[in-house]
Amino acid sequence: MSAKLEIRNLVKRFGGLVATNDVSFTVEPGQSIGLIGPNGAGKTTIFSQIMGEHQQSSGDILIDENEISRLSTPQRILAGVSRTYQVPRPFSDMSVAENIRVGLTPDSIWQMITRGPNPDRELELAESVGLAEEQLARLPSELSMGDLRKLEMARTLATAPRMMLLDEVFAGLTVNEIAVISKLVQSMRDDGMTFLIVSHDLKALEPLVDEAIAINQGQLIAEGSYSDVMADKAVRASYLGAE
Amino acid sequence: MLQVLIQGLLLSGLYALIAVGFTLIFSVGRVLNLAYGAYLLIGGYTYFYFSQQLGLPKFAGVALAGIIGCALGILKFQLIVRPLKGNHVAIEISTLILAVFLQSVVIFVFGDSSKILLPIIPGVERVAGAAIPFSNLFAAIASWVILISLWLFVRSTHMGRAMQAVSMDAKGAAISGVDATKINMFTWALSGTLGAIAGVFFASYTQLYPGMWVAPLIIAVAVVIVGGIGSIIGTLIVAHIVGFLEILTSAYIAPELRGVFTMLLIIVILVWRPSGLFGREEL
Amino acid sequence: MGLRWHHFALWGLFAVTLFVLPEFVSRGTLRTLIFANFLAIFAISWDTLSGRTGYISFGHPFLIGIGAYTTAILTKRFDVAMEISIPIAVIATMVGGLIVLLPALRIKGSYFALVTLAMMELIYQLVQVIRPDLTGGTRGMSGLPTLTRGAVNGYYMSVSLMLAIALTTWLVMRTRLGTALSAIGMNEEAVSGSGLSVTKLKMAAFLFSAFIAGLGGAVYIHYLGSIAPRALFDINFVFTIIVAALIGGAGTTVGPIAGAFFLTFLLEYLRPYLPGAERYMVYSGLALILYMAQPKGMWELFFQGIAKFDRLGRRE
Amino acid sequence: MKFGKILKAVTAAGVISAASFATAAYAEIKVGFIGSLSSDTGLSTLRGAEMAIEELNAKGGVLGEKIKLVTADTQEDVTEGIKAYEYLAETEEVDFIISGSIDDVSLGWIPRMQEFQIPTLDTWTSSISIIDMVVQDPEVMAPYFMNIASDEALATLYINFGADVLKKQMGWNSVVILAEDTGFGQAITGLVTEAISPVAGIEVKETIIYDVGTVDFAPIFAKAQATGADFIYQVSSVNSQVISSQYVKLQVPMPMTGVNVSALGMEYWEDTGGAGGGISTLSPLPSVGFKLDPTSQAFVERYQAKYKSRPVIPHFNGFNAYYGLTQAMAAAEEAGGFKDAKKWSAAMEKQDLKLELDGKLWLRYGFWGKDEVEEVTKRTYPHNARFDLSAPYDDAQPSMVVVQWKEDGSVGVVYPFEYATTKFEIPSWIKK
């Protein structure tokens, strides 16, 4: 059920810039790890490489001991890993239900044509992230930021992941909305989902993670329990230096 | 051989002038102005009307062509590009419609048949079997002068540097106090002026006809794609590649195949190296 | 697929209206309708690729041309029967288009538009040079076999084809394939992030579009009886197709049909008053104004009108 | 439910407007013009027809009915030409069509003419392949007439010009052909290539085909020069002022003659900005630089009083349209109208108009009989304008003349010698 993620010596160069510099870490099945670091540290770039949106310059990415570096994004999703985005960009001219429908669609042209949508499953997913039934027909432009994040979670969940990468899930949310999302993540953790979470809101992040990894300027600078990492000198220096 | 060299240089100089206005818009505004060819069309016909039909001095005809091109550029920016707010697809399509509209206006006013522009400077010099019409030589020299002054302008004036800043990063430029809208409008005006003047030279090199906007548009597109965006020097180099490719093809393979290699070049470069030969690698 | 009885009722009504039309209108009007039908087919084909996925093709005549030239050459030079040559033409369009345009699908935005434009110019120039004994060179070919004679027969043929294509497209686009294609136009990254292969989807859209273009192109030249590269691979032809789809409403099936009918009739109605090139001035000027006013097309204007009306109604 | 409403609205609007479209009045003889409305050649045919109709109406019309003219623009495009023919046939329901179409456009709409069987007269197209269709299928092609000598006759006269002037007077032995890629270009190139060597003794070094969209002729002229031929033979009917003006601009050191359609109008000098000197071309009759008989001269004078825009003098097809339309109406009088196309066709075949100048046959508007074999080319030309290919041209006028523009802007006939008003010369910049 739960997936294991292993990153080995990951390097990504953009021209002369090294965005990821020899990073290695492992997320055990069912574990939840917080990925922290100042702005521009290279957190989102790591997500992009795990998902195959950017190809790493060198290094390995493994899901359940299988190398996925050569797979396309949809194939990686099939392998069990999905992500959300810092800025939710839903399909703007489609209703909430249709947005979720895209996530539920099988990657086969033939099945897309021959098999109709599953409205019950769409509703189920919407409700599982806390969206109400009457919101299904709304357009994304009519939703609050919190609801947009919920929609993004629902669409990601629709791909049936065993591991989720959450990118800045709390950005732009009210205190109440943060609580709702937290509860949602907690309940998924209880169900055995593996998580890698990026967040600037360290207070909200803390209760959701088992361990933390800190990176700065593309390099891993600390890993271990959340409190150990936060107490680390290099980590503190990187935050102070950047902000 | 010398003949090919001479013809190649003359044609390439003209192509560089044609392409540079398009390069400016594509790098500063990041939009594909499919009505760019229409500047050449309007410029050519303006010159024809004032200098050849009304008999004004040739210089006045070129100047008026430039002024009308400039006005057209500003109008296009204000009436089409700004209201569409950076919606690239919409800008591409509306500029295409505009080009067809301007073409039919020209047909309405001047008729469908080709017009011949008198040589701007009459006379021909013969070197090693190649005919060098003074008019074409003048066009090539003028285009070099214009390109060099443009290059100096972009490098050394405040306005030029602001244009560079906007071309690299519109948001960043805005933070540092550059009014991107103003710079954009200036660029559209400049591009219109250059296009219209290029149109006079292009038409005197060849002919005036209502469909004449398509060929220079394709040339401009080829130069920008192959050269990569944002470089006047790149434009100059690639204009010579395209120009010589055409002359070499006509001379050694077949005149009918003249444009084929230009198209192939566009396609191969776009598929193989979308940022162009001299473009910046994008993050 | 969310089909309701009234969908079929409306399609039925539409079809019946079109089929009884020859009883009420002159043959001249039928001829105009024939061209409107073909333009509608081409606009639907363009829309399937560009209107839905947002990959703007400026070289659509390239696809239409493969279909048209294949059947023209087969029937004219090799005496192949049209029943055989048209299906071959359709397959040739799909295969040929795929081979040539597949590399182009990996580039995005304006660059895709430029490659397709360059592709069209390339094929235009090549048709003239490569085996002009087959293609007829710049002049094209005339005296091709025709499928029908007379305005009424031509009308029934074109309207049946148009309706069949429109209905098929409409049905396919109502499936999750349609949803996924529209999703590419809105946010390609999120489609692939939803586990769908964007390349596969784009290829499906492309093949579907090529199928319609090839079929439409092949039947079109067997209606005209001639083929001329200058009229076919012409930026004005691209312009007409794109404008028909956009004016009507891109990303819908009825939009391109409405746009094609509107534009064709506009041109024909202007003919008695403005017989020459002035027609195109009015035509393109109007197209520009309509497009600037509502890039989503008349269809969207219509819906907005209905929505406004509904809101007014509810308030009372 | 919503979109069904608009469908209904659209179709209803379509039905209503289409119905209003169909109610055209039908108490007159309707003539349709098909051709380009923006070219000099198209306008020549249109105006020739307008003037003939005006004169006929002043005399009370035909069969007691007034003649009305409607137009359809082809934009020199094949598809537009087909649409235009359909428009005339089905929307306007014309009785007779007069055409100023170019070859490829006529070839495009010929199948429509065969279908509708509307009496049709071509005044500009000279495509021999259409005459071949008349030979092969006289029944279906019965309503079609072409009152300009066809390509075959044009080429034959050119071959004679080659032998008498180019070879004998100028001493030229080899030629490079520079032909546009059109139906006309292909036909003329083929005919000339076949005959110029055996008959005139001029060797064809090379044939260069160029696209009508060509804008830069410098490399093409360079290629022509490289063949080392004595002169260039051009075949150019579309945008031909471009090639000739560039010839002058580049001062190509090689004589050039041939077919240059833009040089057939008086506007040529202005269009090339005074840069067209030295160009010579074949021209169907009547031509610029050709003396006119009194009837044609009177036509030109009335024409100039009526039209102030270009073309200031109609091209040959303007004369063809003027005389041809008058003949078509006379044939209709005889056949009781245009409805019976076969009957009209038989009456049209008999039309014969002879115009004289100084007591000599000058122009003849008649048609070859079905089985009449022309002596020089040994073939038949049914429904084609009658021409004479050998001096003294007493059966009809020559199929064409060769005219030449001089560097001072004057123009005159250089061949056949009987009609010559000036001598063939080469441009001053060519050192010989």
Side-chain angles (χ1 to χ4, degrees):
Chain A
M1 170 63 208
S2 319
K4 175 184 174 187
L5 171 74
E6 201 176 340
I7 305 270
R8 287 184 201 151
N9 308 98
L10 196 66
V11 176
K12 175 70 190 171
R13 289 187 204 90
F14 287 112
L17 180 80
V18 186
T20 309
N21 190 355
D22 198 18
V23 171
S24 306
F25 61 85
T26 305
V27 188
E28 295 297 337
Q31 208 183 12
S32 173
I33 287 191
L35 184 58
I36 61 172
N39 271 331
K43 294 164 295 191
T44 301
T45 311
I46 292 180
F47 274 20
S48 308
Q49 290 171 84
I50 298 172
M51 293 312 298
E53 292 152 359
H54 281 138
Q55 193 64 36
Q56 70 262 32
S57 308
S58 65
D60 304 309
I61 303 168
L62 296 93
I63 294 277
D64 298 338
E65 316 297 339
N66 297 317
E67 173 64 61
I68 59 165
S69 298
R70 290 175 168 272
L71 302 183
S72 68
T73 306
Q75 286 169 324
R76 294 179 198 214
I77 288 170
L78 209 63
V81 56
S82 274
R83 73 170 283 191
T84 66
Y85 292 86
Q86 217 166 358
V87 183
R89 282 206 302 140
F91 306 116
S92 52
D93 288 348
M94 288 184 182
S95 69
V96 168
E98 282 172 318
N99 266 278
I100 299 173
R101 190 173 306 157
V102 175
L104 280 171
T105 303
D107 189 23
S108 144
I109 304 289
W110 180 247
Q111 286 184 21
M112 284 183 207
I113 296 174
T114 49
R115 287 211 212 137
N118 185 346
D120 298 337
R121 181 81 183 118
E122 286 163 18
L123 177 62
E124 196 184 319
L125 277 166
E127 285 178 337
S128 76
V129 298
L131 288 167
E133 188 174 0
E134 63 267 20
Q135 283 178 306
L136 281 180
R138 300 247 170 95
L139 286 177
S141 54
E142 299 166 319
L143 299 184
S144 68
M145 192 50 155
D147 287 346
L148 283 178
R149 292 227 182 266
K150 289 179 196 163
L151 173 58
E152 176 120 329
M153 296 276 266
R155 189 176 51 72
T156 311
L157 278 174
T159 63
R162 295 179 296 126
M163 162 158 201
M164 282 176 87
L165 315 177
L166 305 182
D167 197 352
E168 296 293 356
V169 267
F170 303 119
L173 299 192
T174 64
V175 178
N176 287 339
E177 285 171 339
I178 290 175
V180 175
I181 301 274
S182 285
K183 227 173 99 192
L184 182 63
V185 174
Q186 283 295 6
S187 76
M188 286 196 281
R189 280 181 74 192
D190 297 342
D191 294 341
M193 179 78 77
T194 311
F195 277 105
L196 184 61
I197 308 175
V198 164
S199 176
H200 264 100
D201 191 337
L202 299 175
K203 213 173 82 195
L205 183 66
E206 187 175 1
L208 296 183
V209 297
D210 305 315
E211 281 183 17
I213 297 172
I215 58 169
N216 189 25
Q217 293 177 336
Q219 269 175 313
L220 197 144
I221 51 174
E223 68 183 310
S225 76
Y226 181 81
S227 48
D228 286 355
V229 169
M230 289 316 291
D232 187 279
K233 265 189 199 156
V235 174
R236 302 191 79 89
S238 76
Y239 269 92
L240 288 172
E243 279 164 24
Chain B
M1 196 51 221
L2 187 59
Q3 193 179 343
V4 167
L5 189 68
I6 291 167
Q7 283 175 347
L9 280 174
L10 291 180
L11 188 69
S12 307
L14 185 67
Y15 280 4
L17 183 59
I18 289 173
V20 75
F22 187 74
T23 310
L24 280 180
I25 292 297
F26 201 58
S27 47
V28 174
R30 288 294 159 102
V31 290
L32 202 56
N33 175 17
L34 289 176
Y36 179 73
Y39 293 134
L40 282 94
L41 175 73
I42 299 293
Y45 273 92
T46 306
Y47 174 81
F48 172 77
Y49 179 73
F50 286 110
S51 286
Q52 211 152 315
Q53 291 200 318
L54 296 188
L56 293 186
K58 285 165 182 168
F59 174 75
V62 177
L64 278 164
I67 290 169
I68 292 198
C70 175
L72 196 62
I74 295 174
L75 278 179
K76 228 193 274 182
F77 178 69
Q78 293 289 4
L79 297 180
I80 293 181
V81 179
R82 269 184 80 179
L84 291 176
K85 295 187 199 94
N87 178 347
H88 287 230
V89 171
I91 291 174
E92 278 159 30
I93 286 166
S94 43
T95 49
L96 174 72
I97 304 179
L98 179 71
V100 174
F101 175 70
L102 290 174
Q103 176 189 2
S104 44
V105 170
V106 165
I107 295 176
F108 180 63
V109 178
F110 293 97
D112 213 351
S113 64
S114 309
K115 306 268 184 286
I116 301 298
L117 276 194
L118 292 183
I120 296 177
I121 300 170
V124 177
E125 182 60 43
R126 221 157 256 295
V127 178
I132 309 178
F134 292 148
S135 217
N136 297 8
L137 187 64
F138 176 66
I141 292 171
S143 108
W144 276 88
V145 170
I146 290 172
L147 286 173
I148 291 168
S149 11
L150 191 69
W151 186 71
L152 289 174
F153 171 80
V154 171
R155 302 222 104 197
S156 52
T157 65
H158 179 68
M159 191 57 138
R161 280 197 301 269
M163 280 167 68
Q164 273 184 310
V166 175
S167 111
M168 283 171 197
D169 180 3
K171 267 186 207 146
I175 293 166
S176 47
V178 175
D179 182 350
T181 307
K182 214 171 85 188
I183 298 295
N184 257 312
M185 189 166 89
F186 177 78
T187 313
W188 278 86
L190 188 61
S191 159
T193 315
L194 288 172
I197 292 174
V200 178
F201 289 120
F202 183 65
S204 76
Y205 198 94
T206 57
Q207 57 170 330
L208 264 183
Y209 63 105
M212 68 177 262
W213 60 277
V214 182
L217 176 68
I218 303 258
I219 291 163
V221 162
V223 170
V224 167
I225 284 178
V226 177
I229 53 177
S231 158
I232 292 173
I233 302 297
T235 303
L236 200 59
I237 296 172
V238 179
H240 282 76
I241 296 179
V242 172
F244 271 95
L245 205 56
E246 279 196 17
I247 295 289
L248 287 171
T249 312
S250 322
Y252 295 113
I253 306 177
E256 309 93 275
L257 283 173
R258 164 171 205 164
V260 167
F261 290 95
T262 312
M263 296 307 138
L264 278 177
L265 193 66
I266 297 185
I267 294 163
V268 168
I269 292 285
L270 267 185
V271 173
W272 169 63
R273 205 187 146 96
S275 55
L277 286 182
F278 306 105
R280 289 184 295 268
E281 193 178 346
E282 279 173 278
L283 273 184
Chain C
M1 288 196 242
L3 292 175
R4 304 274 181 280
W5 70 268
H6 72 254
H7 288 136
F8 292 103
L10 286 170
W11 276 105
L13 187 69
F14 184 42
V16 167
T17 315
L18 286 176
F19 274 103
V20 299
L21 218 49
E23 300 295 321
F24 302 102
V25 302
S26 71
R27 286 187 303 164
T29 310
L30 285 184
R31 289 286 184 188
T32 309
L33 281 165
I34 294 172
F35 282 101
N37 285 330
F38 281 112
L39 181 58
I41 292 170
F42 299 143
I44 291 173
S45 164
W46 183 85
D47 188 64
T48 315
L49 178 65
S50 302
R52 313 256 170 194
T53 66
Y55 277 73
I56 301 299
S57 154
F58 278 129
H60 225 64
F62 168 73
L63 293 176
I64 297 167
I66 300 181
Y69 265 102
T70 306
T71 180
I73 291 170
L74 285 176
T75 50
K76 177 95 178 171
R77 311 284 183 216
F78 301 102
D79 289 317
V80 177
M82 283 185 280
E83 301 82 69
I84 299 167
S85 71
I86 293 177
I88 294 177
V90 173
I91 294 166
T93 311
M94 294 169 73
V95 174
L98 201 59
I99 291 170
V100 179
L101 279 184
L102 200 60
L105 281 174
R106 52 173 232 144
I107 43 183
K108 290 181 188 173
S110 308
Y111 289 110
F112 179 77
L114 290 177
V115 170
T116 51
L117 185 64
M119 210 70 90
M120 181 180 80
E121 284 293 315
L122 179 69
I123 201 84
Y124 170 53
Q125 301 194 344
L126 284 181
V127 158
Q128 303 167 25
V129 213
I130 295 181
R131 298 297 302 270
D133 54 322
L134 287 183
T135 62
T138 17
R139 306 167 39 216
M141 288 171 260
S142 20
L144 302 174
T146 51
L147 284 161
T148 58
R149 286 195 101 146
V152 177
N153 293 334
Y155 173 76
Y156 279 124
M157 177 188 71
S158 65
V159 89
S160 315
L161 186 67
M162 189 276 281
L163 278 173
I165 287 173
L167 188 63
T168 313
T169 311
W170 183 77
L171 284 171
V172 170
M173 289 307 155
R174 282 189 72 81
T175 65
R176 289 193 284 179
L177 176 62
T179 313
L181 291 181
S182 304
I184 292 181
M186 295 171 207
N187 182 355
E188 192 172 324
E189 205 178 33
V191 175
S192 116
S194 304
L196 300 180
S197 162
V198 176
T199 313
K200 213 191 298 180
L201 282 168
K202 284 193 287 195
M203 213 149 88
F206 183 81
L207 283 175
F208 196 61
S209 176
F211 173 82
I212 301 172
L215 182 60
V219 175
Y220 182 58
I221 61 121
H222 284 305
Y223 164 73
L224 281 179
S226 71
I227 183 168
R230 205 166 296 132
L232 192 60
F233 302 119
D234 179 15
I235 201 147
N236 284 305
F237 186 41
V238 180
F239 159 83
T240 314
I241 296 172
I242 296 183
V243 166
L246 291 172
I247 290 275
T252 66
T253 304
V254 186
I257 301 177
F261 275 56
F262 175 75
L263 288 181
T264 312
F265 272 87
L266 178 68
L267 265 191
E268 279 310 306
Y269 282 161
L270 289 172
R271 198 194 278 275
Y273 313 104
L274 304 166
E278 307 87 338
R279 276 194 296 156
Y280 288 86
M281 210 164 91
V282 175
Y283 173 74
S284 49
L286 197 65
L288 186 59
I289 292 167
L290 279 176
Y291 183 69
M292 291 293 293
Q294 179 47 274
K296 285 182 177 170
M298 297 189 300
W299 207 228
E300 181 68 21
L301 280 179
F302 177 75
F303 277 136
Q304 284 177 358
I306 294 273
K308 231 176 242 173
F309 192 73
D310 279 358
R311 253 176 270 139
L312 282 179
R314 258 182 255 150
R315 239 175 261 158
E316 273 163 26
Chain D
M1 217 39 215
K2 284 174 200 159
F3 87 99
K5 282 182 199 157
I6 200 169
L7 286 187
K8 271 186 278 183
V10 166
T11 34
V15 171
I16 291 164
S17 42
S20 64
F21 213 80
T23 54
Y26 207 76
E28 63 220 338
I29 294 208
K30 230 176 182 181
V31 173
F33 161 82
I34 184 168
S36 162
L37 288 173
S38 49
S39 72
D40 290 340
T41 47
L43 286 175
S44 295
T45 295
L46 175 64
R47 290 173 176 182
E50 272 175 2
M51 288 188 56
I53 289 171
E54 207 167 83
E55 284 171 23
L56 287 164
N57 279 341
K59 287 182 204 150
V62 172
L63 298 162
E65 287 171 13
K66 291 281 183 208
I67 309 166
K68 190 186 163 203
L69 183 70
V70 289
T71 59
D73 191 5
T74 59
Q75 298 164 31
E76 298 194 343
D77 174 280
V78 179
T79 310
E80 286 299 318
I82 292 173
K83 283 192 199 175
Y85 202 97
E86 287 172 352
Y87 169 79
L88 292 175
E90 295 185 317
T91 303
E92 294 287 354
E93 301 185 356
V94 298
D95 300 285
F96 170 71
I97 290 176
I98 187 143
S99 154
S101 312
I102 58 172
D103 286 15
D104 292 320
V105 172
S106 281
L107 287 167
W109 56 246
I110 287 275
R112 297 297 193 263
M113 188 232 71
Q114 295 176 337
E115 181 183 333
F116 299 126
Q117 291 289 309
I118 297 175
T120 301
L121 177 69
D122 245 333
T123 61
W124 203 94
T125 309
S126 60
S127 174
I128 186 79
S129 59
I130 304 182
I131 297 303
D132 288 338
M133 289 184 210
V134 183
V135 174
Q136 280 156 18
D137 200 345
E139 284 290 301
V140 176
M141 290 297 287
Y144 181 88
F145 286 84
M146 179 196 288
N147 73 349
I148 162 182
S150 52
D151 300 339
E152 196 94 6
L154 196 145
T156 305
L157 185 115
Y158 189 79
I159 303 303
N160 295 340
F161 172 66
D164 292 350
V165 177
L166 303 179
K167 175 88 181 177
K168 227 184 259 171
Q169 278 186 13
M170 311 305 291
W172 295 339
N173 295 314
S174 59
V175 61
V176 50
I177 298 179
L178 221 60
E180 66 180 11
D181 193 4
T182 61
F184 177 75
Q186 193 185 25
I188 296 295
T189 306
L191 292 165
V192 168
T193 311
E194 251 168 53
I196 201 156
S197 171
V199 178
I202 296 175
E203 181 204 351
V204 179
K205 290 258 189 185
E206 201 176 335
T207 301
I208 303 172
I209 309 285
Y210 69 87
D211 179 41
V212 291
T214 305
V215 288
D216 180 10
F217 282 92
I220 293 176
F221 282 127
K223 208 175 166 190
Q225 273 170 261
T227 63
D230 289 327
F231 70 104
I232 299 170
Y233 180 79
Q234 68 163 139
V235 187
S236 172
S237 70
V238 181
N239 284 340
S240 32
Q241 69 275 33
V242 177
I243 179 167
S244 39
S245 76
Q246 290 203 7
Y247 171 74
V248 180
K249 266 191 204 169
L250 294 166
Q251 306 209 330
V252 179
M254 210 176 167
M256 183 162 86
T257 176
V259 184
N260 182 322
V261 165
S262 71
L264 304 184
M266 287 309 285
E267 283 76 12
Y268 175 70
W269 196 250
E270 196 189 310
D271 282 351
T272 55
I279 296 293
S280 57
T281 175
L282 277 184
S283 171
L285 288 173
S287 170
V288 291
F290 179 81
K291 276 185 254 167
L292 291 174
D293 61 273
T295 317
S296 303
Q297 188 59 47
F299 163 66
V300 170
E301 276 155 23
R302 285 200 304 281
Y303 175 97
Q304 289 182 323
K306 187 170 158 75
Y307 303 105
K308 297 299 174 201
S309 61
R310 63 184 298 166
V312 289
I313 291 176
H315 292 213
F316 64 87
N317 53 312
F319 294 85
N320 293 352
Y322 174 72
Y323 291 120
L325 193 123
T326 314
Q327 290 184 316
M329 291 301 157
E333 290 267 8
E334 195 188 317
F338 292 97
K339 284 284 156 283
D340 187 341
K342 294 261 148 43
K343 219 169 153 192
W344 174 83
S345 177
M348 187 70 176
E349 281 168 10
K350 288 183 291 186
Q351 292 295 318
D352 198 356
L353 173 70
K354 289 177 182 164
L355 300 166
E356 295 190 342
L357 177 69
D358 304 330
K360 181 179 182 301
L361 178 76
W362 201 249
L363 286 175
R364 182 172 175 188
Y365 278 95
F367 297 98
W368 290 97
K370 268 198 182 60
D371 306 312
E372 225 173 331
V373 176
E374 198 279 326
E375 293 167 18
V376 177
T377 56
K378 307 271 188 294
R379 59 160 289 167
T380 60
Y381 295 90
H383 291 199
N384 192 195
R386 201 172 186 88
F387 50 85
D388 190 345
L389 288 177
S390 44
Y393 309 107
D394 49 1
D395 182 44
Q397 72 270 29
S399 61
M400 316 268 155
V401 291
V402 178
V403 302
Q404 184 172 37
W405 286 86
K406 305 291 180 182
E407 282 167 62
D408 65 359
S410 67
V411 56
V413 174
V414 295
Y415 189 83
F417 300 126
E418 275 181 79
Y419 300 85
T421 55
T422 176
K423 264 192 71 177
F424 182 72
E425 290 166 343
I426 56 172
S428 58
W429 63 81
I430 300 172
K431 294 167 214 112
K432 256 280 137 127

